[in-house]
Amino acid sequence: MRYLNVFRRRGRAGVRSYMVGLALITTLPLAVFSLVIVGQSRNEELRALQLRAQQEADTYARMVERQFHDMTTTLMVLETSPELRTRDFADFHARATAALARSDWYMIVVDETGQQLLNTRVPRGQPLGKTSNMEALQDTLARDELVVSNLFFGRTSSQFVYNVMKRVELAQGEGRLVIILTQAAADMDRIIDGRKALEGWTYSIIDGADRMVASNTETAPGEPVPPQLLAAARTPLEDRLQRRGEMLGYSRIGLTEWQVLVEGPAGADDTIFASVLNTLVLAGLACFLLSLASAAIFGRKLRWAIDLVADRADGVGRGEIVSPLDTGIREIDEVSKALSNASFDRHQAEERLQLVLREMAHRTKNVILVAQSLVRQSARYSDDKESFVTAITGRLQSFAASLDRLLSEAATAPTFRDLAMVQLGSFVEGEERLTLDGPDFPVTMEAVKEIGMVLHELATNAMKYGAWSGPAGRVELSWTEEVLDGETRIRVLWRERGGPPPSGDARKGFGSLLIRSTIQSLRGTALGDYREDGVVWTMDLPADRIRAAGQTVS
């Protein structure tokens, strides 16, 4: 409460004043916004109509493009006919007629001079003249791709048609042919009329020479399209969007010079926008009055809720545990709940801090005790200062490596193979001197230090007395899972080969005692067999002591 009192003494406005001010700021400009919205609405409608015209043009272009694609596919299939390669035009006439029976297309085959060799539009054997479109023929002979011709008047069909043409290379010395699928412009009209045009909209399919191919207007096929109309339609879309009263859509048909032109209505009635303007002004005035009333009511409730939260904050500052509020305002209730949780967590944090400090002291004392034990035992079994320093340094380093490996695995326990490589990898280089074999599994946190020290001690003995003391010796470390008397156990086998016979020091040293006592601390057994061909240690360990809970051997 003292914070709010400070605000009042300084003459600052309260929550209700801010709420009323917010209502004024957000509602008074509605009158201006209404005018802007009306203008934008009109512009957006015109823009939407222009975009619709463009979409319609793109749709018609895709329809014609699919028609060309179908004709191209048919042409390429017929090109593979063996009768064409052998110039057996009688059989090819029959094959093409059958293939095109359900379409509006006709097949024509011409030679390089333009002489028609086959035309399915007329019966086989009827005399044929030259093609009516020599320009498109020369273009096809010069290009290694399909060509869609412009509209032209066909002498055989006696109407305006267009061709899809492809060059065919015959065997060497036999020249070239051009195969053609031809279709009447009137048939293109039937294809396009399958899409119902929007009311008041017109479309035009135009060839590369700017002549009409098909349209729902009165313009006939073959007539030129007004150049000023095409010039306006070909301008970039963004430029067309800036022009009002002109709905033009323009699109190119893929892989050809053909075009689609769509013209739409000029826009909406201005009386509609006047009605919208009046409605917006009245709605803005109503919103303004409603906002003022709502601001006064809600501001009073907010002020009451904020006063309560401030009281709770004062309590937290004094170290009290405060209860959450139920003001009916979700955000303020969440703040009060957070304050309540913070007051409770503060007490818990202090208790956890004391617990962590006690745990740290306990763990530190355990580490010191282990280090002291290693020092005492190493000193007892060492003959001189140098051997003592070497032994204790190696054991402490092994102990530290195990601790480091344990701490580095924050999310998961270290695996047995990783632990073995940490402890043994620094003694030898190369797989020929160290073999690891066994299914890997995660090691429990409690067993990491013990197993690490055992592996280090075995490696130290092998380096001093056993297989790794000579150049040819090697060590095989293997482990398996077995079930003995209903209990799952992990059997670890350490076998040395190729080294000198074990010495008496290796049999009686502190290392052997350390291995057995460490394994026993894990409720396991360790047996050392000092053979003439190398030391063999067999260690049986309960799986539940060394394998992390919930994990299986993999």
Side-chain angles (χ1 to χ4, degrees):
M1 292 296 294
R2 63 177 181 272
Y3 302 110
L4 295 178
N5 292 332
V6 170
F7 290 162
R8 295 191 188 102
R9 287 196 299 271
R10 293 183 179 178
R12 296 189 178 182
V15 172
R16 279 189 296 180
S17 299
Y18 281 112
M19 292 293 293
V20 171
L22 180 62
L24 292 172
I25 292 173
T26 55
T27 56
L28 283 179
L30 283 178
V32 178
F33 292 163
S34 299
L35 297 175
V36 175
I37 290 172
V38 169
Q40 288 183 342
S41 297
R42 180 173 178 81
N43 292 335
E44 287 301 320
E45 180 171 344
L46 294 174
R47 183 181 180 89
L49 289 172
Q50 183 64 273
L51 292 174
R52 183 62 182 272
Q54 183 60 43
Q55 292 172 356
E56 288 294 306
D58 292 340
T59 299
Y60 282 115
R62 287 193 296 270
M63 292 176 65
V64 178
E65 189 173 346
R66 283 197 298 270
Q67 169 79 351
F68 289 160
H69 179 269
D70 293 343
M71 295 177 73
T72 298
T73 302
T74 302
L75 200 64
M76 295 178 71
V77 170
L78 290 173
E79 179 191 7
T80 62
S81 302
E83 298 89 347
L84 183 64
R85 303 291 175 176
T86 59
R87 303 177 72 93
D88 185 356
F89 296 121
D91 287 348
F92 186 69
H93 187 284
R95 178 186 291 273
T97 301
L100 304 176
R102 302 181 63 180
S103 70
D104 298 323
W105 310 329
Y106 296 95
M107 170 63 72
I108 301 173
V109 180
V110 300
D111 60 17
E112 294 182 82
T113 66
Q115 176 61 46
Q116 298 184 50
L117 306 175
L118 177 149
N119 190 332
T120 61
R121 192 185 290 273
V122 298
R124 175 66 181 162
Q126 180 174 321
L128 301 172
K130 288 193 174 184
T131 180
S132 302
N133 194 346
M134 293 297 295
E135 181 182 353
L137 173 65
Q138 296 302 321
D139 189 23
T140 305
L141 289 171
R143 297 163 59 183
D144 189 19
E145 57 185 16
L146 284 101
V147 173
V148 178
S149 73
N150 291 322
L151 202 67
F152 66 95
F153 192 81
R155 287 192 296 268
T156 303
S157 63
S158 299
Q159 58 182 320
F160 281 99
V161 298
Y162 69 91
N163 292 340
V164 177
M165 315 169 71
K166 188 178 189 307
R167 187 184 70 199
V168 178
E169 300 287 345
L170 300 179
Q172 188 173 7
E174 296 185 10
R176 297 178 296 179
L177 300 177
V178 174
I179 55 176
I180 303 169
L181 278 184
T182 185
Q183 185 178 36
D187 295 330
M188 178 66 75
D189 261 330
R190 288 197 294 272
I191 295 171
I192 301 303
D193 286 343
R195 174 179 172 81
K196 185 178 180 181
L198 299 175
E199 184 177 357
W201 293 64
T202 63
Y203 72 85
S204 301
I205 310 300
I206 306 166
D207 67 6
D210 296 343
R211 290 178 298 182
M212 186 68 70
V213 178
S215 177
N216 63 347
T217 66
E218 296 180 356
T219 306
E223 293 186 12
V225 179
Q228 63 274 15
L229 179 62
L230 280 176
R234 287 170 179 167
T235 58
L237 177 60
E238 286 301 321
D239 293 342
R240 279 181 273 148
L241 292 175
Q242 302 301 320
R243 298 199 298 263
R244 301 179 60 177
E246 186 178 82
M247 300 299 117
L248 292 177
Y250 179 80
S251 183
R252 286 273 189 178
I253 299 174
L255 305 179
T256 72
E257 295 182 356
W258 285 34
Q259 311 148 81
V260 175
L261 177 63
V262 172
E263 296 180 80
D269 191 350
D270 288 337
T271 58
I272 298 177
F273 295 100
S275 176
V276 172
L277 175 61
N278 294 333
T279 302
L280 287 175
V281 170
L282 293 176
L285 180 60
C287 288
F288 171 67
L289 296 176
L290 181 61
S291 296
L292 287 179
S294 301
I297 296 172
F298 292 141
R300 181 175 182 178
K301 184 174 180 63
L302 279 173
R303 177 179 174 180
W304 165 76
I306 291 172
D307 286 345
L308 293 178
V309 171
D311 289 339
R312 294 298 194 276
D314 286 340
V316 173
R318 292 189 297 269
E320 301 173 358
I321 297 180
V322 299
S323 61
L325 294 171
D326 185 11
T327 64
I329 303 175
R330 182 177 58 193
E331 288 76 8
I332 291 182
D333 288 348
E334 289 176 354
V335 171
S336 71
K337 184 178 179 180
L339 288 173
S340 177
N341 292 337
S343 65
F344 181 73
D345 291 344
R346 177 177 177 177
H347 286 276
Q348 285 192 327
E350 292 176 353
E351 294 177 358
R352 284 197 299 270
L353 179 59
Q354 294 299 322
L355 180 63
V356 169
L357 291 175
R358 290 196 298 269
E359 178 68 15
M360 182 182 298
H362 174 71
R363 291 182 178 271
T364 303
K365 183 165 62 176
N366 286 344
V367 171
I368 293 174
L369 289 175
V370 172
Q372 288 176 342
S373 175
L374 290 175
V375 170
R376 286 196 299 267
Q377 296 295 338
S378 297
R380 182 183 305 171
Y381 288 89
S382 298
D383 296 331
D384 51 39
K385 178 180 179 181
E386 183 177 354
S387 62
F388 166 74
V389 171
T390 301
I392 191 60
T393 300
R395 287 165 183 150
L396 288 176
Q397 286 177 345
S398 171
F399 184 59
S402 297
L403 287 176
D404 182 64
R405 186 61 180 174
L406 178 62
L407 294 175
S408 67
E409 300 289 346
T412 59
T415 66
F416 190 90
R417 184 179 294 273
D418 287 345
L419 188 58
M421 287 304 301
V422 168
Q423 295 295 341
L424 306 179
S426 61
F427 284 88
V428 291
E429 296 181 356
E431 297 181 357
E432 67 278 359
R433 304 209 66 188
L434 173 63
T435 302
L436 301 180
D437 182 27
D440 208 2
F441 60 88
V443 181
T444 62
M445 300 300 184
E446 295 78 7
V448 169
K449 299 188 297 296
E450 285 78 2
I451 293 177
M453 290 179 62
V454 168
L455 293 175
H456 174 79
E457 201 61 38
L458 289 170
T460 301
N461 290 341
M463 184 65 70
K464 293 169 62 177
Y465 315 110
W468 287 342
S469 64
R474 59 190 178 89
V475 172
E476 298 172 359
L477 177 63
S478 61
W479 58 95
T480 58
E481 180 181 301
E482 300 178 357
V483 179
L484 300 175
D485 298 331
E487 181 184 17
T488 303
R489 300 183 70 83
I490 305 297
R491 171 164 288 187
V492 182
L493 186 65
W494 172 280
R495 181 185 296 275
E496 299 183 19
R497 300 181 186 277
S503 65
D505 293 336
R507 299 171 187 266
K508 302 176 183 179
F510 170 63
S512 299
L513 176 62
L514 178 63
I515 293 169
R516 285 191 291 270
S517 61
T518 303
I519 295 299
Q520 288 173 1
S521 70
L522 296 173
R523 291 197 296 110
T525 60
L527 178 62
D529 186 2
Y530 294 87
R531 305 174 184 175
E532 288 297 320
D533 60 342
V535 176
V536 177
W537 276 92
T538 304
M539 292 163 279
D540 282 327
L541 296 157
D544 59 351
R545 291 296 300 272
I546 69 169
R547 190 172 63 207
Q551 303 289 336
T552 58
V553 176
S554 61

